[in-house]
Amino acid sequence: MSFNRLITKIEETDNPTVVGLDPNLSFVPSFLMEKYFREEGKNLKSASKAVIEWNKGIIDSIYDIVPAVKLQLSYYETLGHNGIYAFEETIKYAKENGLYVIADGKRNDIGTTMNAYGEGYIGNVSYFNENMKVYDVDAMTVNPYMGYDTVKPLLDICEISDKAIFVLVKTSNPSSSQLQDLILENGEPLYITVAKLVEEWGENVGAVVGATYPKQLEQLRTLMPETFFLVPGFGAQGAKAEDVKTAFSNKGAIINASRSIICAYKNMNVDERDYKKATRKAIIDMREELKSVRS
Amino acid sequence: MSFNRLITKIEETDNPTVVGLDPNLSFVPSFLMEKYFREEGKNLKSASKAVIEWNKGIIDSIYDIVPAVKLQLSYYETLGHNGIYAFEETIKYAKENGLYVIADGKRNDIGTTMNAYGEGYIGNVSYFNENMKVYDVDAMTVNPYMGYDTVKPLLDICEISDKAIFVLVKTSNPSSSQLQDLILENGEPLYITVAKLVEEWGENVGAVVGATYPKQLEQLRTLMPETFFLVPGFGAQGAKAEDVKTAFSNKGAIINASRSIICAYKNMNVDERDYKKATRKAIIDMREELKSVRS
C-alpha cells in the first residue's frame, strides 16, 4: 500500500500539493547562476550547482507545509551527467527533509529495459552480489503505450520495495486528445480503456490525469475509485481549484504545480534573492485555494 | 533530410544494422568489471568505467562495418550520474569513429519539457548567451501517446540542427497489442492512426516498427512510403531476416540488434576476453543473413 505513506503526509500537512522541481535554466535566479559561473565558468557543472542550491532553497522554504516534490527529469537530463548529479543531490535533500519524492520521466520500454529503469529509480541495482540504491525515489511516472508487459517489471519492484508508479491516462497538454480521446469500436475513448487497465494493475499504480480537462477528470475519478491520482496542469498550465475538486473523492489525489510555485518570485515581482519567501507564499496561497474545494 | 546521412552510411557499409549498446551489467564481461572493481571498489563509478571500456571495445570491433549504434538510455540511467557519464563518453567515441548515434529513451512529455529533452539530446542548451551541446546525438526515440504538441518542439530542433526523431508506431514487445492494436470506430487499429500522423510529421520523423510483427511491418511499410523505419526485435527478441524483408522497400530501414551482437561472446561460448572477435563475427553473420532478403 505504497500510497499510504503519501496519503498520511497529505493529511499531516493538510495540503494535497506536490511541488514540481523543474529547473529550466531560465527559471533559476540569476544571482545563483552568477555565483557559480564566477567560481567555475559558464558550463554544465556550474549550472548544475546553481540548480542544486536553488532546489535546496525551495525545499527549505516548503518542506514543512507540503507532502511531496516531483522532479521533472528532462531539466536534469538536459544538463548531462552534472544534471543527473543535481537530480541525485536534490532527491537526497528532499528525503532528508521528510518529503515523498516522485521522479517524473514518463518512461516506457520493453520488459528488460523497464526492469533496468525500475532498479535504478525505485529498486536496487545488483551485481557481483552487491545491491545498490541509485535514485531511490518513492514513485516514478510511466507511459502506457507499450502495454502491460512493459509495466509488470515495475509492479514486481513496487511490491518488494513499497514503492509506486503513476501511469499516464489523460494528460494535461493541448493535444492529449489526439490519441487519448480517439473513439474505439466499443464507443469509448482510448483513455477509458487505459483507465480500466490502470485500475486493474493494482494498488501500487496511480493515474496521471490532467487538471486542464475537468470533465474527464470527474469521469475518471468515478471510473477508478481505488486509484490514487496525480493531477498536473494546475497554475501555469491554466487549471484552477474548481477544475480539480472532483479529484479528491474516493482514493484521493495530489495536485502538481511547478512554474506557479518555483517561479513565484518572478510572478510576484519580488527581488530574486527573496525567492524562498515568494515560494512559501505561493504554496500557502495554493493550499488555501484548494481548501475551498476540498471540504 | 536528416536520414540521408544514415542512408548514405548504410550504403557505404552495405549493412542496414544498428548495434544496440545496452550495457546491462550482467552482460559486461567480468574481467572488465573486476579490473575496475580492483582499482576503485564495487560501486557505480567503477561499473560505469567497465561499461565505457566495453562499449569502446565493441565500437573498435565494428565501426568499419556498421553504420550506426543505438544506446538504450535505461542501462546508463540506472547507474546514476556515473552511468550518464558513460553514456556521454560512449557517444563521443562512436562519433569519433564515424558512427550515426541514436539515443533510445522513448521520451514523451508536455511541450516545454520535450523542448528541454530536445535541447539536451539533439540541440543546444543555451543560457547567458552561451550555447552548449550536451549529448549531441543524431537521433532520439519518442513515444507518441501525448500527441502532436509534444513532438513539435523536437521537429523545430531537427529542422535547425539536421537531426531526426523516431516515433513508436508498433513496438516489438509481446503486449504491444494491448493498446496499439485496439480497433477504433473507423475499423482500423490505433497503430494505423499513429502511422498516418508520423508520415504527416515530415521527413525528419522515422517510425519504430517491431520486427516481431512481420504482417504489421509489411502493412506499415506500404502505408508510410516516405518514412524511414527503425526496426527492433531482431535476434534475441526472436525475429529473423525473413520477418524484416519488407522493411527495406520505399524509404528503407535500419534493423536493430542488441543482445545477439553484444553478448555474442556468451552465445558463441568463447573466452570473454575475445568478445571483440565474437561481436564482429555476429555482425558479419547478421549482415549476410540480411543480404539474403535485401536484394
Side-chain angles (χ1 to χ4, degrees):
Chain A
M1 295 289 282
S2 61
F3 289 110
N4 284 355
R5 278 191 291 133
L6 176 55
I7 291 167
T8 302
K9 284 201 66 68
I10 291 172
E11 287 165 359
E12 281 168 9
T13 53
D14 193 25
N15 190 0
T17 299
V18 51
V19 174
L21 298 175
D22 304 353
N24 186 321
L25 291 186
S26 66
F27 299 166
V28 183
S30 47
F31 80 97
L32 288 176
M33 296 287 264
E34 281 159 9
K35 170 181 166 186
Y36 290 100
F37 284 172
R38 273 196 306 273
E39 285 174 17
E40 8 197 344
K42 281 188 195 175
N43 52 49
L44 298 169
K45 191 171 183 182
S46 60
S48 299
K49 284 188 175 177
V51 164
I52 294 172
E53 183 168 339
W54 187 43
N55 280 345
K56 286 185 174 179
I58 293 170
I59 291 168
D60 287 343
S61 68
I62 56 160
Y63 75 95
D64 57 330
I65 52 172
V66 301
V69 288
K70 177 172 84 62
L71 284 72
Q72 170 50 253
L73 263 152
S74 76
Y75 293 108
Y76 301 90
E77 260 178 88
T78 200
L79 303 178
H81 71 276
N82 288 294
I84 297 299
Y85 180 74
F87 178 73
E88 293 165 349
E89 290 297 300
T90 303
I91 292 166
K92 218 180 287 174
Y93 196 74
K95 290 174 69 178
E96 283 166 15
N97 281 280
L99 293 163
Y100 186 95
V101 180
I102 303 168
D104 189 5
K106 300 183 175 62
R107 302 303 192 232
N108 193 215
D109 217 300
I110 65 170
T112 47
T113 300
M114 283 307 273
N115 189 58
Y117 278 130
E119 287 176 349
Y121 285 102
I122 55 176
N124 296 294
V125 171
S126 47
Y127 58 115
F128 281 81
N129 302 318
E130 298 277 326
N131 275 313
M132 276 179 274
K133 300 272 187 208
V134 184
Y135 305 114
D136 201 24
V137 294
D138 297 295
M140 62 188 283
T141 58
V142 175
N143 182 312
Y145 187 67
M146 295 176 67
Y148 180 68
D149 72 346
T150 71
V151 175
K152 180 66 167 57
L154 301 181
L155 301 185
D156 295 342
I157 293 171
C158 287
E159 196 65 44
I160 295 164
S161 60
D162 189 34
K163 300 289 174 88
I165 62 171
F166 287 98
V167 175
L168 305 186
V169 175
K170 172 67 185 166
T171 58
S172 61
N173 59 304
S175 43
S176 77
S177 59
Q178 192 171 38
L179 297 186
Q180 296 161 30
D181 291 10
L182 284 173
I183 304 298
L184 304 180
E185 60 175 352
N186 67 3
E188 290 176 348
L190 173 61
Y191 70 80
I192 294 289
T193 294
V194 176
K196 289 175 183 168
L197 291 171
V198 168
E199 177 88 349
E200 275 172 36
W201 289 343
E203 64 185 9
N204 296 326
V205 185
V208 176
V209 183
T212 44
Y213 297 100
K215 277 188 194 162
Q216 287 89 334
L217 175 58
E218 183 174 6
Q219 177 190 29
L220 290 166
R221 185 63 291 176
T222 308
L223 187 70
M224 310 170 79
E226 301 300 327
T227 302
F228 189 81
F229 281 14
L230 169 61
V231 181
F234 193 90
Q237 286 184 61
K240 306 270 177 230
E242 194 59 32
D243 298 321
V244 301
K245 72 174 178 193
T246 59
F248 299 114
S249 55
N250 302 114
K251 186 77 178 181
I254 194 155
I255 314 297
N256 178 251
S258 300
R259 276 167 283 174
S260 58
I261 306 299
I262 65 175
C263 294
Y265 76 91
K266 293 190 178 199
N267 304 336
M268 294 176 190
N269 212 11
V270 299
D271 187 294
E272 58 170 26
R273 287 168 195 273
D274 290 329
Y275 76 91
K276 292 184 193 179
K277 269 187 238 167
T279 301
R280 189 172 177 92
K281 182 171 183 327
I283 278 291
I284 291 172
D285 290 349
M286 181 171 164
R287 184 186 68 193
E288 298 310 306
E289 195 186 337
L290 289 176
K291 244 177 211 164
S292 68
V293 299
R294 285 170 67 205
S295 64
Chain B
M1 294 288 282
S2 62
F3 288 112
N4 284 357
R5 277 191 291 133
L6 177 55
I7 292 167
T8 302
K9 285 201 63 69
I10 292 171
E11 286 165 359
E12 281 168 9
T13 54
D14 193 23
N15 190 1
T17 298
V18 50
V19 174
L21 297 176
D22 302 354
N24 187 320
L25 291 186
S26 66
F27 299 166
V28 184
S30 47
F31 80 97
L32 287 177
M33 297 287 265
E34 281 159 10
K35 171 181 164 183
Y36 289 101
F37 285 172
R38 272 196 308 272
E39 285 174 16
E40 8 196 344
K42 280 188 195 175
N43 52 49
L44 297 170
K45 190 170 182 184
S46 59
S48 299
K49 286 189 174 177
V51 164
I52 294 171
E53 182 168 339
W54 188 43
N55 280 345
K56 287 185 174 180
I58 293 170
I59 291 168
D60 287 343
S61 69
I62 56 161
Y63 76 94
D64 57 330
I65 53 172
V66 301
V69 289
K70 178 172 81 63
L71 284 71
Q72 170 49 254
L73 263 151
S74 75
Y75 293 108
Y76 301 89
E77 261 179 86
T78 200
L79 303 178
H81 71 275
N82 287 295
I84 297 298
Y85 179 74
F87 178 72
E88 293 166 348
E89 290 297 300
T90 303
I91 292 166
K92 216 179 291 174
Y93 196 73
K95 290 174 67 179
E96 284 166 13
N97 282 278
L99 292 163
Y100 186 95
V101 180
I102 303 168
D104 189 6
K106 301 182 175 62
R107 302 303 193 233
N108 193 213
D109 217 299
I110 65 170
T112 48
T113 301
M114 283 308 272
N115 189 57
Y117 278 130
E119 287 176 350
Y121 286 101
I122 54 176
N124 296 293
V125 171
S126 47
Y127 59 113
F128 281 80
N129 302 318
E130 297 276 325
N131 276 312
M132 276 179 275
K133 300 273 186 206
V134 184
Y135 304 114
D136 201 23
V137 295
D138 297 295
M140 61 187 285
T141 58
V142 175
N143 183 312
Y145 187 66
M146 295 176 68
Y148 179 68
D149 72 347
T150 71
V151 176
K152 180 66 168 58
L154 301 181
L155 301 187
D156 295 342
I157 294 171
C158 286
E159 196 64 45
I160 295 164
S161 60
D162 189 33
K163 300 288 175 86
I165 62 171
F166 287 98
V167 175
L168 304 187
V169 175
K170 172 68 184 164
T171 58
S172 61
N173 59 303
S175 42
S176 77
S177 58
Q178 193 171 37
L179 298 186
Q180 295 160 30
D181 292 9
L182 285 173
I183 303 298
L184 304 180
E185 60 176 351
N186 67 3
E188 290 177 346
L190 174 61
Y191 70 80
I192 294 290
T193 293
V194 176
K196 289 174 183 169
L197 291 171
V198 168
E199 177 87 350
E200 275 172 35
W201 289 342
E203 62 184 10
N204 297 325
V205 185
V208 176
V209 183
T212 45
Y213 298 100
K215 275 186 195 162
Q216 287 88 336
L217 176 57
E218 183 173 6
Q219 176 191 28
L220 290 166
R221 185 65 289 177
T222 308
L223 188 69
M224 311 171 79
E226 301 302 325
T227 302
F228 189 80
F229 280 16
L230 169 61
V231 181
F234 193 90
Q237 287 185 58
K240 307 272 177 226
E242 194 60 32
D243 298 321
V244 301
K245 71 175 177 191
T246 59
F248 299 113
S249 53
N250 303 113
K251 186 76 177 179
I254 194 156
I255 314 298
N256 178 250
S258 300
R259 274 167 284 174
S260 58
I261 306 299
I262 66 175
C263 294
Y265 76 90
K266 292 190 179 198
N267 305 336
M268 293 176 190
N269 212 10
V270 300
D271 187 294
E272 58 170 27
R273 288 168 194 273
D274 291 328
Y275 75 91
K276 292 184 194 179
K277 270 187 238 167
T279 301
R280 189 172 177 91
K281 183 174 183 324
I283 278 289
I284 292 171
D285 289 351
M286 181 171 165
R287 183 186 69 192
E288 298 308 306
E289 195 185 337
L290 289 176
K291 246 177 211 164
S292 67
V293 298
R294 285 170 67 205
S295 60

